[in-house]
Amino acid sequence: MTTATTSDLAPAVASLLQDDLLAVADTKLVLGNWYTECVMNGRSLPDFATLLGMCTASFGQTRAIYRYLTNFGHDFGALERGRDAGAIRSMELLDEAPVGWEDFLAAVWLGELASWMLLSGFLHNPDRQLAGLAKKVGQESYFHLKYTDGWMRIIGEGAAERATFLRMVEKRLPFALRWFGPAEAADPLHTAGQRDMPIGKIREAFLREIGKAASLVGAPLPTARPASFETSWRPDARRHGPIPAGLWEVVRFKDQELAF
Amino acid sequence: MATRLKQDDPRELALQERIKAGFKLEDETEMTPRYRDVLVNTMHIAADLEVMTLPDYSPAIKNSPNLEAKIAVASACQDELGHAQVMYRLLEDFGYDTHQFLFEREAAEFRTFQLLEFPHRDYIETVVSMCIGDRAGYITTTDLEDNCSFGPYARSLRKVNFEETFHVGHGERWTRFFWNQSPASRQRVQEAFDFYFPLAAAWFGVPDSMKKRTDQLAYKIRGASNDEMRQKWLTQVVPFCEELGIRIPARFDEETGKFRLDYEPPVYLDEEKRVWHFDRRITWEEQFAIWKRGSVFKVPAIRRLQLEVWGKELW
Amino acid sequence: MTENEKRFDRKRERGGTTPRYYEVFARKSSADPLTHVGSVEAPNDDLAQVRAWFVYDQHAWKEMCVVPTDAIVTVTEHGKSAKIKMN
Ligand SMILES: [Fe+2]
Ligand SMILES: [Fe+2]
């Protein structure tokens, strides 16, 4: 069996592929930091271990994708520590700190689901290394999403909590949708045989998954349209502008004299 | 109310005899009140110590220099909170309510050790703590796994100890790495040892000479005495430090053929400056009071687990 | 912004007034027996699965299952607490 590698790609396609992978990797980096910041807000003893496990896995996924990107000539250390707030490509959905447990769950759920859906588009990528990476992330995402499923069931049993949760989903969902981009009919990565299906289809599948949560929450989930795209939209980063200064202060690696 | 049996009550002595012959208890119904007290007390402290690692170790995730380090700290913390789950679960069978115990108990009531009452400020403190602190914990929990006469506890520690070997190994490996990375990092490793070594040495408690009789040993909850475990710890730590050149206040004593501390505990710790005054002895009463009070970080650290912090407080 | 005491709804978050437990079983390879590896508290099956996965992750298990502790009928331990003893 022949295995395609990154060096076989046309430069424009390779560049788009790297953009998407970096957007997922940086989103996982920010998610990992969300778990780090919020673990002590956990609501049961086994949840502390669970949130730390999700934290570990998220950083692990970032590391795995950065490593994969070295196939394109990137330097791992430069990806990890050589970029400033303007170069981090995390989901705008995660910019704003959660204001409570329901908001935390809404954001983490949407962030985990959207990033997994995007990566799932590479499950059959001609480069088996990338396909394997997507599969591995999928196996981990399964548990992360099961965690939010379990909590949605609990939230669904409380009227006030459910209302708060739905409000938070409504607030964050437009940003999750915008992350998939304007989703024009033509997807160059799909056309080039790199993405299993056009990104527009992935976004539709994402919305369908959101809808399915109604059975967990016991109420229909809000339907939303993507937040509008400003002229400052950076298609390569799937976001506008740099990540907020406060979040950057959390995310940036400290104590650089110890880096190895 | 259950009648308290003295340790030399015939029923207590009979149980001690059976245990000495290798009998393992599996259920509360097989216990005498005194056995139960000693066992529950031991598990209670061990469980609280595991929980304390969350506020103690996790700040280092935030300050770690790269992904590798973040992953290492987060995953070790995940293990520790899993250990806490295992131990509190056992306590539930003795009437403990984990939830209440964790979220509604007065923070000052948590039974932690001083070693875990100074939240780690950076990755170096964490790897040094793993190297000598997790090692101290590992020595106590392997002793329990090997000897504890309560079968469920001994069995549950298999997982715990399996994971602890990774913490100790990680600590050793990265202590060695930072010792050799740069003069600045070497200096920081030394400073971490200066502060943490006496705290870790104190993990094993008071010297045997201060204890008249130990229920833990009589009921074979544990197999080794405080001094025996401390000696085992020194046997590992002193040669490791000597090999690298890390200065610690302990050495091998040719005369006795044993390792020993260069100072006679208890000694005064300036908690604020994090400096030990080895020449300034304090009384055991003073030491017990310090341990009971906890560091200035103890209560806020535990309170953080009972509170939720959101929004602008996060970033 | 906010720093509050955590407030709990025991019924929803713990599955009742007393905690609900699941026993965890796992095997490393097809040659190994499925053995009891521990116990985890959860109010629903989803959380039981995830918590078991993250608490008992000492091995890369080939197979893991959870069983509500209530569903276990003791055979030899008749008359004693029906808890499953840690593996
Ligand atoms: Fe532990
Ligand atoms: Fe440990």
Side-chain angles (χ1 to χ4, degrees):
Chain A
M1 176 162 181
T2 56
T3 306
T5 62
T6 49
S7 52
D8 304 330
L9 296 177
V13 174
S15 162
L16 287 171
L17 183 59
Q18 292 168 64
D19 287 343
D20 274 6
L21 293 177
L22 204 46
V24 175
D26 285 353
T27 295
K28 298 291 187 175
L29 172 69
V30 171
L31 266 174
N33 278 284
W34 268 61
Y35 294 127
T36 309
E37 293 297 316
C38 296
V39 56
M40 290 200 251
N41 291 334
R43 303 181 61 79
S44 80
L45 180 59
D47 269 17
F48 288 143
T50 300
L51 290 165
L52 287 162
M54 288 161 68
C55 174
T56 307
S58 302
F59 288 134
Q61 292 168 6
T62 304
R63 180 177 60 181
I65 300 174
Y66 286 172
R67 274 187 191 150
Y68 178 75
L69 285 167
T70 61
N71 295 341
F72 292 90
H74 288 279
D75 175 67
F76 183 91
L79 283 177
E80 183 190 52
R81 288 170 287 113
R83 295 180 298 146
D84 59 18
I88 300 295
R89 303 177 171 199
S90 75
M91 226 179 259
E92 285 169 312
L93 158 72
L94 300 171
D95 280 1
E96 206 181 293
V99 296
W101 183 247
E102 289 80 12
D103 188 24
F104 171 74
L105 287 169
V108 160
W109 173 48
L110 296 173
E112 290 275 0
L113 185 60
S115 53
W116 159 237
M117 297 297 294
L118 191 78
L119 209 52
S120 72
F122 302 114
L123 277 170
H124 305 288
N125 190 276
D127 181 356
R128 289 173 65 188
Q129 197 191 343
L130 176 55
L133 173 63
K135 188 175 167 205
K136 172 87 175 11
V137 173
Q139 286 162 346
E140 294 178 348
S141 301
Y142 169 82
F143 287 103
H144 297 198
L145 291 168
K146 198 170 259 305
Y147 181 74
T148 49
D149 279 0
W151 267 102
M152 278 191 260
R153 286 185 197 282
I154 297 176
I155 283 171
E157 288 165 13
E161 289 77 9
R162 177 167 60 202
T164 308
F165 178 76
L166 293 173
R167 222 172 45 244
M168 295 302 140
V169 172
E170 198 165 16
K171 178 184 79 173
R172 300 219 183 233
L173 182 56
F175 297 101
L177 289 170
R178 190 163 71 181
W179 190 64
F180 291 97
E184 286 109 1
D187 175 358
L189 277 179
H190 174 61
T191 314
Q194 288 299 304
R195 192 174 353 249
D196 304 344
M197 59 178 90
I199 185 111
K201 286 260 186 284
I202 292 183
R203 198 183 68 183
E204 282 167 29
F206 169 73
L207 267 173
R208 274 199 304 279
E209 287 298 315
I210 300 292
K212 282 185 201 162
S215 67
L216 303 170
V217 186
L221 273 292
T223 49
R225 295 202 302 178
S228 58
F229 295 89
E230 311 297 325
T231 47
S232 59
W233 176 251
R234 299 159 53 204
D236 60 338
R238 299 191 171 275
R239 61 169 296 128
H240 298 80
I243 66 171
L247 178 59
W248 171 240
E249 188 45 37
V250 168
V251 167
R252 72 175 181 83
F253 289 94
K254 319 293 188 301
D255 213 357
Q256 282 308 289
E257 77 171 33
L258 297 187
F260 46 89
Chain B
M1 203 179 142
T3 37
R4 295 278 138 224
L5 298 185
K6 291 220 181 79
Q7 195 194 20
D8 47 10
D9 179 286
R11 278 164 294 179
E12 298 291 343
L13 290 174
L15 180 60
Q16 288 176 27
E17 280 307 311
R18 289 179 72 200
I19 289 169
K20 211 183 286 173
F23 175 64
K24 293 270 182 194
L25 291 83
E26 294 291 332
D27 193 274
E28 195 179 355
T29 54
E30 298 160 340
M31 297 174 189
T32 57
R34 195 166 178 109
Y35 179 94
R36 186 188 183 282
D37 278 357
V38 179
L39 173 70
V40 166
N41 200 33
T42 303
M43 296 197 298
H44 176 149
I45 293 170
D48 276 358
L49 290 171
E50 300 284 3
V51 166
M52 196 60 189
T53 56
L54 179 55
D56 191 47
Y57 279 58
S58 72
I61 307 174
K62 303 184 187 192
N63 292 330
S64 290
N66 59 14
L67 283 167
E68 204 67 39
K70 274 187 196 287
I71 291 166
V73 185
S75 134
C77 274
Q78 178 194 348
D79 292 346
E80 303 296 7
L81 273 294
H83 303 170
Q85 156 76 30
V86 168
M87 295 188 194
Y88 278 127
R89 173 67 188 91
L90 282 167
L91 285 169
E92 296 239 351
D93 287 334
F94 293 90
Y96 279 65
D97 178 337
T98 301
H99 190 85
Q100 192 177 45
F101 206 54
L102 200 55
F103 295 111
E104 291 162 22
R105 186 166 35 141
E106 281 293 327
E109 301 288 306
F110 277 67
R111 302 176 66 180
T112 58
F113 290 173
Q114 209 177 12
L115 174 67
L116 295 173
E117 291 173 356
F118 296 88
H120 299 172
R121 298 173 300 192
D122 56 48
Y123 190 48
I124 292 228
E125 292 194 350
T126 294
V127 298
V128 169
S129 289
M130 283 175 164
C131 183
I132 59 177
D134 284 58
R135 187 189 303 273
Y138 178 64
I139 285 170
T140 48
T141 48
T142 41
D143 178 75
L144 287 162
E145 181 189 339
D146 294 345
N147 296 292
C148 188
S149 53
F150 180 52
Y153 192 33
R155 287 195 293 274
S156 72
L157 289 169
R158 206 176 298 155
K159 161 197 160 65
V160 170
N161 290 325
F162 177 72
E163 289 174 335
E164 288 299 339
T165 57
F166 291 99
H167 303 173
V168 175
H170 184 86
E172 215 172 273
R173 178 166 162 230
W174 290 97
T175 295
R176 198 182 286 274
F177 177 86
F178 288 121
W179 184 254
N180 292 313
Q181 189 194 30
S182 72
S185 65
R186 175 173 292 199
Q187 172 66 21
R188 288 170 64 180
V189 170
Q190 182 60 57
E191 283 164 11
F193 268 87
D194 291 345
F195 179 59
Y196 283 106
F197 179 89
L199 289 174
W203 178 271
F204 304 98
V206 299
D208 291 353
S209 56
M210 288 184 62
K211 291 196 154 187
K212 288 194 192 74
R213 63 200 328 190
T214 44
D215 283 349
Q216 279 185 322
L217 295 177
Y219 291 102
K220 217 159 180 288
I221 305 293
R222 269 165 46 176
S225 73
N226 292 3
D227 284 349
E228 285 163 350
M229 286 195 285
R230 190 167 10 245
Q231 184 62 216
K232 191 172 174 189
W233 178 77
L234 285 169
T235 307
Q236 297 173 16
V237 172
V238 174
F240 174 80
C241 291
E242 281 177 353
E243 182 210 320
L244 293 185
I246 300 169
R247 294 179 303 281
I248 47 166
R251 71 192 63 229
F252 183 71
D253 187 337
E254 298 287 351
E255 244 168 65
T256 59
K258 284 184 169 179
F259 290 91
R260 67 172 193 82
L261 299 173
D262 290 343
Y263 57 95
E264 198 184 333
V267 292
Y268 178 75
L269 166 65
D270 182 336
E271 286 187 36
E272 208 177 311
K273 294 205 181 86
R274 296 199 176 198
V275 174
W276 292 91
H277 295 258
F278 293 114
D279 48 359
R280 187 170 154 194
R281 286 207 72 204
I282 59 175
T283 66
W284 279 107
E285 284 63 40
E286 287 169 315
Q287 179 68 88
F288 294 143
I290 290 166
W291 284 344
K292 194 167 178 2
R293 164 172 53 79
S295 85
V296 290
F297 303 107
K298 174 184 169 175
V299 167
I302 294 166
R303 283 295 290 150
R304 176 63 189 87
L305 305 181
Q306 302 176 329
L307 299 171
E308 28 185 3
V309 176
W310 300 109
K312 295 259 182 292
E313 295 294 320
L314 294 174
W315 64 81
Chain C
M1 190 175 105
T2 35
E3 183 180 305
N4 292 318
E5 206 75 33
K6 289 177 188 167
R7 285 178 195 289
F8 300 93
D9 179 337
R10 287 201 167 213
K11 192 170 168 303
R12 284 189 302 116
E13 297 188 34
R14 309 192 68 196
T17 44
T18 54
R20 247 186 99 191
Y21 282 104
Y22 288 75
E23 301 305 321
V24 186
F25 299 84
R27 76 169 109 237
K28 280 186 255 188
S29 71
S30 88
D32 285 332
L34 190 66
T35 45
H36 184 240
V37 295
S39 180
V40 76
E41 185 207 324
N44 58 49
D45 292 357
D46 283 328
L47 281 179
Q49 291 170 68
V50 188
R51 288 171 176 177
W53 182 252
F54 285 110
V55 169
Y56 298 100
D57 72 338
Q58 61 267 39
H59 300 292
W61 304 110
K62 182 184 166 64
E63 186 180 344
M64 179 185 268
C65 316
V66 293
V67 179
T69 308
D70 294 351
I72 293 173
V73 180
T74 59
V75 178
T76 55
E77 303 298 279
H78 183 71
K80 292 185 179 173
S81 61
K83 68 168 192 228
I84 286 283
K85 290 155 187 162
M86 298 293 301
N87 178 37

